[in-house]
């Protein structure tokens, strides 16, 4: 396009932008000549918060994120697209920039410098009126206090080798996102797949849902008839090209992505195991990049190189490249914790594809299994529907947690992660190891039908230099219940809270021996001796975090259910006689726990308070009754929980 054509194109484009729609054609031609065209790559910074205000910008194509993270806690962010403008408010107020502008999809931006902008305002009062109304609308809608994190829209999905079940994983993931959320999902297949293969996955040919999706593409690149569309009954869509994508699409891929984003919430680019120019461009432009790897010893060096190439193209960014494991190749793979070290990963990789008939035969796995794992686990993460359960402290009263779990299980409410403190840590860890309330009950309250059996099974008295109980029996109880599990063996991701008694610090336990972590969190001061674990002397996590909701929030839970045994809204009953030492200890712990629970409620979506008044800290033999209290409390709010989890 020559200079004259570019100028005419700019005039036409500006005439469609609301900010400039009131300008007469002669003035528009004059002002168009003052604009500077800028080509900006993904992750480029247009300006930083605090910079001086020297220009406004209009987006011709691509996307730009405007965000602010202020020390006092207020923040906002909004993503702008084609036809949107930004930077004008700082020019009007003559103040430094109050936000940062970062490119999130390769963009063409038109820049108008401050002098030209002021000249435009002086002769066009309608523009000033438009901006003042816009500014007022933003303030009234809370623009300056908009909270939340921008959710990724574009994902590339590739594999380190063929035959790892990539299509099975991708389509299973798309199925679960579609059926467990309201998000519209599109899978882009740059490499041609036969119709017979698509039919195997339950995908049927459909007509183009929206011809305008290709309006930004130059007509000499692709036409509407070059694209082929498939639809799955669950709701997700697949886009193919009759002859496969070619190099012509590389420079205009941002334009296609920009159009697709107007119709779909999540777009997955299936890149197989190729890594040509098109694949490299897609990886660079996508918000997240998922790679399914072969974890056999023989493939390790090749996997390393492919991850390095992905990271080089993806650029810097939190979790830009995510690694998962396929078990379809090789009879024996490398342990996941070893993979983390060998591949220098930020987290232990999950198993995305396991050896199953569905995976081996290339079919979509549509079952809603629990515990949640594989393609469904990452689907729920991407869809933003993961449910976290925080189980609070409370000694024997914590048996009521089992009743809550029973109701959730009966109503098919699937828990994606658990956090626990003290007794909540014990119940949560055993449930995470077994994945069944019946198995949990058998390994806990069923063992203690009488007070004598409870004392014999739990209490091992010692000279009270550090605590009345050594806690070795409690450790053995948990170790047996979880089958000597490491945290990686748990069926449900679980996080346990302890307190470093020497430093007065909260400690998050999520690696290593589960039983030792639980025993550490159970160490009520005076009652149980402290435990030296992970190089620290640890006691009951309830001293600082009785209901660890904040941990679930940090780990990415989208919806949080909390169970609080020490209810600060209820008054402690007065004893009929002078309290003994055990009564004093019990009430002291209850007061401490009650004080510390004050901040978790606002971070929870639903809080369950089992009625456990009148039960002592050592009523471990009353598990059946306490479990029933948990059942009753959870049933009162089960409809709210169903609405939350739907």
């Amino acid at each position: 396009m020559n200079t004259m054509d570019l100028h005419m194109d700019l005039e036409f484009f500006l005439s469609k932008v609301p900010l400039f729609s009131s300008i007469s054609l002669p003035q528009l031609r004059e002002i168009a000549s003052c604009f500077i065209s800028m080509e900006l790559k993904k992750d480029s910074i247009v300006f930083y918060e605090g910079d001086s205000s020297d220009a406004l910008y209009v987006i011709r194509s691509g996307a730009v994120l405007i965000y602010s993270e202020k020390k006092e806690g207020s923040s906002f962010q909004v993503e702008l697209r084609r036809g949107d403008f930004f930077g004008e408010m700082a020019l009007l107020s003559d103040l430094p920039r109050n936000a940062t502008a970062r490119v999130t999809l390769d963009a063409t931006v038109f820049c108008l410098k401050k002098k030209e902008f002021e000249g435009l305002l002086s002769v066009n009062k309608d523009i000033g009126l438009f901006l003042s109304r816009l500014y007022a609308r933003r303030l009234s809608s809370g623009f300056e206090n908009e909270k939340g994190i921008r959710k990724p829209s574009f994902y590339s999905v590739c594999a380190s080798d063929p035959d790892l079940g990539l299509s099975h994983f991708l389509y299973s993931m798309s199925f679960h996102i579609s059926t467990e959320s309201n998000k519209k999902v599109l899978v882009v297949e740059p490499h041609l797949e036969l119709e017979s293969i698509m039919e195997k996955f339950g995908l049927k040919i459909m007509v183009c849902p929206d011809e305008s999706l290709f309006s930004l593409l130059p007509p000499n690149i692709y036409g509407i008839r070059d694209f082929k569309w498939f639809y799955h009954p669950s709701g997700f869509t697949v886009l193919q090209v009759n002859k496969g994508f070619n190099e012509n699409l590389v420079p205009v891929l941002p334009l296609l992505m920009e159009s697709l984003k107007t119709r779909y919430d999540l777009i997955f680019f299936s890149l197989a195991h190729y890594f040509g120019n098109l694949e490299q461009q897609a990886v660079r432009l996508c918000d997240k990049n998922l790679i399914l790897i072969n974890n056999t010893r023989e493939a390790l060096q090749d996997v390393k190189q492919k991850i390095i190439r992905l990271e080089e193209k993806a650029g810097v960014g939190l979790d830009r490249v995510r690694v998962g494991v396929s078990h379809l190749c090789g009879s024996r793979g490398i342990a996941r914790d070893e993979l983390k070290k060998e591949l220098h990963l930020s987290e232990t990789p999950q198993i995305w594809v396991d050896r199953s008939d569905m995976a081996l035969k290339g079919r979509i796995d549509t079952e809603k299994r629990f515990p949640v794992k594989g393609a469904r686990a990452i689907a729920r993460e991407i869809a933003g529907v993961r449910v976290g359960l925080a189980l609070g402290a409370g000694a024997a009263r914590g048996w009521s947690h089992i009743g809550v779990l029973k109701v959730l299980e009966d109503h098919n409410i699937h828990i994606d992660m658990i956090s626990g403190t003290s007794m909540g840590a014990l119940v949560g860890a055993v449930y995470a190891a077994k994945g069944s309330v019946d198995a949990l009950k058998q390994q806990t309250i069923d063992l203690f039908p009488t007070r004598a059996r409870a004392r014999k099974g739990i209490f091992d008295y010692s000279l009270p230099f550090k605590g009345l109980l050594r806690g070795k029996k409690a450790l053995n109880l948990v170790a047996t219940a979880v089958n000597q599990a490491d945290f990686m063996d748990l069926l449900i991701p679980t996080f346990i809270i302890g307190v470093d008694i020497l430093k007065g610090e909260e400690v998050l336990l999520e690696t290593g021996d589960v039983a030792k972590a639980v025993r550490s969190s159970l160490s009520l001061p005076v009652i149980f001796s402290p435990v030296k674990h992970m190089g620290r002397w640890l006691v009951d996590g309830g001293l600082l975090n009785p209901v660890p909701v904040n941990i679930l929030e940090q780990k990415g839970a989208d919806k949080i259910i909390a169970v609080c045994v020490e209810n600060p809204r209820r008054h402690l009953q007065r004893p009929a006689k002078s309290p003994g030492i055990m009564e004093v200890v019990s009430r002291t712990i209850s007061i401490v726990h009650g004080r510390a629970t004050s901040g978790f409620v606002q971070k929870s979506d639903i809080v369950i308070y089992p009625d456990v008044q009148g039960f002592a800290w050592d009523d471990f033999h009353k598990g059946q009754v306490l479990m029933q209290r948990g059942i009753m409390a959870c049933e009162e709010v089960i409809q709210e929980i169903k609405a939350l989890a739907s």
Side-chain angles (χ1 to χ4, degrees):
M1 192 180 294
N2 58 38
T3 304
M4 182 174 293
D5 290 337
L6 284 171
H7 192 73
M8 291 179 64
D9 177 66
L10 175 56
E11 287 178 22
F12 178 77
F13 172 70
L14 291 177
S15 69
K16 303 299 181 183
V17 175
L19 177 61
F20 301 103
S21 60
S22 64
I23 301 177
S24 64
L25 184 57
Q27 288 178 321
L28 189 62
R29 286 174 182 166
E30 182 179 349
I31 201 67
S33 63
C34 299
F35 275 91
I36 301 169
S37 179
M38 303 169 63
E39 300 291 332
L40 302 173
K41 296 294 186 183
K42 180 182 173 69
D43 292 326
S44 299
I45 300 296
V46 184
F47 52 73
Y48 286 98
E49 186 171 354
D51 285 353
S52 59
S53 308
D54 61 351
L56 74 83
Y57 303 86
V58 184
I59 302 173
R60 178 68 170 85
S61 63
V64 176
L65 182 71
I66 311 297
Y67 64 94
S68 172
E69 297 293 341
K70 299 180 180 178
K71 292 181 180 179
E72 57 268 26
S74 64
S75 64
F76 69 87
Q77 56 179 298
V78 61
E79 190 171 63
L80 305 178
R81 301 177 187 173
R82 178 182 173 84
D84 289 330
F85 52 92
F86 59 96
E88 77 291 343
M89 293 305 171
L91 287 183
L92 288 171
S93 62
D94 202 26
L95 294 173
R97 302 289 189 188
N98 68 345
T100 298
R102 178 172 62 84
V103 178
T104 54
L105 186 62
D106 284 7
T108 298
V109 175
F110 294 129
C111 170
L112 185 66
K113 292 296 184 179
K114 183 176 182 178
K115 182 179 178 181
E116 284 74 18
F117 175 70
E118 291 174 343
L120 180 64
L121 284 178
S122 66
V123 296
N124 289 276
K125 298 187 182 301
D126 287 342
I127 291 181
L129 180 61
F130 178 91
L131 289 174
S132 64
R133 288 174 176 170
L134 175 66
Y135 190 55
R137 189 163 65 249
R138 285 180 177 176
L139 287 176
S140 64
S141 64
F143 178 82
E144 293 293 333
N145 291 298
E146 196 173 324
K147 293 184 181 293
I149 299 172
R150 174 183 171 268
K151 301 293 185 182
S153 297
F154 296 104
Y155 291 78
S156 80
V157 187
C158 62
S160 62
D161 294 279
D163 304 320
L164 294 185
L166 181 68
S167 295
H168 160 78
F169 166 70
L170 177 55
Y171 292 142
S172 297
M173 181 174 63
S174 299
F175 169 87
H176 288 296
I177 294 173
S178 298
T179 54
E180 300 194 35
S181 74
N182 295 320
K183 296 188 181 299
K184 297 179 181 178
V185 179
L186 173 69
V187 177
V188 181
E189 291 276 7
H191 312 289
L192 184 64
E193 293 282 4
L194 298 175
E195 279 188 38
S196 58
I197 294 177
M198 305 303 282
E199 289 176 358
K200 184 173 67 173
F201 287 106
L203 291 154
K204 303 293 184 183
I205 286 282
M206 64 177 288
V207 297
C208 175
D210 185 355
E211 294 185 1
S212 68
L213 291 174
F214 310 107
S215 61
L216 296 181
L217 292 183
N220 61 330
I221 299 294
Y222 284 107
I224 294 174
R225 294 182 181 179
D226 295 319
F227 293 94
K228 188 181 293 185
W229 292 85
F230 294 85
Y231 177 78
H232 192 272
S234 64
F236 72 89
T237 309
V238 178
L239 170 63
Q240 277 194 8
V241 179
N242 291 333
K243 297 181 180 179
F245 285 179
N246 59 40
E247 296 295 308
N248 291 334
L249 191 68
V250 173
V252 296
L253 186 59
L255 297 176
L256 177 62
M257 293 171 71
E258 182 183 343
S259 290
L260 296 177
K261 194 171 181 178
T262 62
R263 184 179 179 88
Y264 298 96
D265 302 305
L266 293 166
I267 299 101
F268 296 96
F269 283 85
S270 177
L271 304 182
H273 60 284
Y274 308 107
F275 207 59
N277 291 336
L278 176 63
E279 290 74 25
Q280 294 179 51
Q281 175 80 317
V283 165
R284 186 182 67 80
L285 293 172
C286 283
D287 302 304
K288 303 276 186 178
N289 298 276
L290 311 179
I291 178 169
L292 186 63
I293 68 167
N294 181 343
N295 73 324
T296 61
R297 183 71 61 184
E298 299 78 18
L300 190 60
Q301 289 304 316
D302 187 43
V303 168
K304 280 184 181 179
Q305 293 304 312
K306 289 186 176 176
I307 292 177
I308 289 172
R309 292 185 68 190
L310 269 178
E311 290 176 336
E312 287 174 347
K313 288 298 175 183
V316 296
L318 182 63
D319 195 24
R320 189 65 68 82
V321 176
R322 179 86 175 274
V323 179
V325 174
S326 172
H327 282 169
L328 293 193
C329 289
S331 58
R332 186 173 183 180
I334 304 171
R336 289 185 291 141
D337 53 351
E338 185 180 349
L339 274 177
K340 178 182 177 181
K341 295 176 184 176
E342 289 281 345
L343 300 176
H344 306 292
L345 304 177
S346 60
E347 61 181 24
T348 305
Q350 294 175 311
I351 299 169
W352 289 349
V353 177
D354 221 331
R355 191 175 290 273
S356 67
D357 287 341
M358 287 290 184
L360 292 169
K361 294 177 181 178
R363 301 286 196 276
I364 294 178
D365 185 354
T366 60
E367 291 192 39
K368 303 293 185 183
R369 296 184 184 87
F370 182 75
V372 179
K373 63 178 184 177
R376 187 182 177 214
I378 193 167
R380 286 172 64 84
E381 178 181 345
I382 291 172
V385 297
R386 288 190 297 177
V387 176
L389 179 66
L391 301 178
R397 295 180 288 256
W399 288 142
S400 59
H401 293 317
I402 300 177
V404 172
L405 286 165
K406 172 66 174 170
V407 175
L408 296 178
E409 188 174 280
D410 288 346
H411 288 272
N412 210 31
I413 306 297
H414 291 175
I415 302 301
D416 297 273
M417 62 183 77
I418 297 171
S419 65
T421 293
S422 194
M423 198 62 172
L426 187 152
V427 172
V430 178
Y431 184 67
K434 301 296 183 181
S436 158
V437 170
D438 286 342
L440 165 63
K441 183 172 175 289
Q442 290 170 11
Q443 294 291 334
T444 52
I445 62 177
D446 285 355
L447 299 177
F448 313 116
T450 65
R451 181 178 290 276
R453 289 280 296 274
R455 288 186 177 277
K456 184 177 180 180
I458 299 173
F459 289 29
D460 45 4
Y461 292 98
S462 66
L463 293 175
F465 297 124
K466 298 180 180 178
L468 295 175
L469 306 177
R470 288 182 296 172
K472 189 172 182 180
K473 287 185 177 181
L475 175 64
N476 292 336
L477 167 70
V478 179
T480 300
V482 301
N483 196 26
Q484 312 293 330
D486 182 275
F487 273 89
M488 284 185 59
D489 300 320
L490 297 179
L491 302 175
I492 306 167
T494 301
F495 313 100
I496 291 172
I497 306 302
V499 169
D500 185 325
I501 192 62
L502 299 181
K503 295 183 177 180
E505 295 176 349
E506 179 179 319
V507 179
L508 173 62
L509 303 170
E510 56 180 331
T511 60
D513 189 298
V514 173
K516 288 183 179 178
V518 172
R519 169 64 184 87
S520 301
S521 189
L522 283 171
S523 301
L524 284 83
V526 181
I527 303 296
F528 283 101
S529 300
V531 175
K532 191 168 187 180
H533 181 52
M534 309 291 276
R536 295 172 178 249
W537 283 102
L538 301 180
V539 297
D540 185 357
L543 294 180
L544 293 180
N545 198 348
V547 189
V549 166
N550 64 313
I551 301 302
L552 297 177
E553 189 179 46
Q554 292 169 20
K555 295 297 180 179
D558 303 286
K559 303 166 184 182
I560 297 176
I561 302 169
V563 187
C564 182
V565 174
E566 301 289 358
N567 187 350
R569 298 181 304 182
R570 298 192 180 114
H571 297 291
L572 292 171
Q573 292 180 332
R574 293 182 179 180
K577 56 184 179 179
S578 177
I581 183 171
M582 298 307 294
E583 177 73 14
V584 170
V585 170
S586 176
R587 287 175 174 270
T588 300
I589 295 298
S590 293
I591 291 169
V592 171
H593 287 180
R595 295 286 185 184
T597 56
S598 59
F600 80 94
V601 175
Q602 59 267 35
K603 294 183 178 181
S604 307
D605 294 286
I606 293 174
V607 181
I608 301 171
Y609 293 101
D611 182 2
V612 293
Q613 288 189 98
F615 291 91
W617 75 272
D618 59 344
D619 281 342
F620 295 102
H621 61 294
K622 296 182 179 179
Q624 297 285 358
V625 179
L626 285 161
M627 179 177 171
Q628 188 60 38
R629 295 295 178 91
I631 289 173
M632 293 167 60
C634 192
E635 283 180 340
E636 288 180 4
V637 294
I638 190 60
Q639 295 306 320
E640 295 176 45
I641 294 174
K642 284 183 174 181
L644 179 74
S646 62

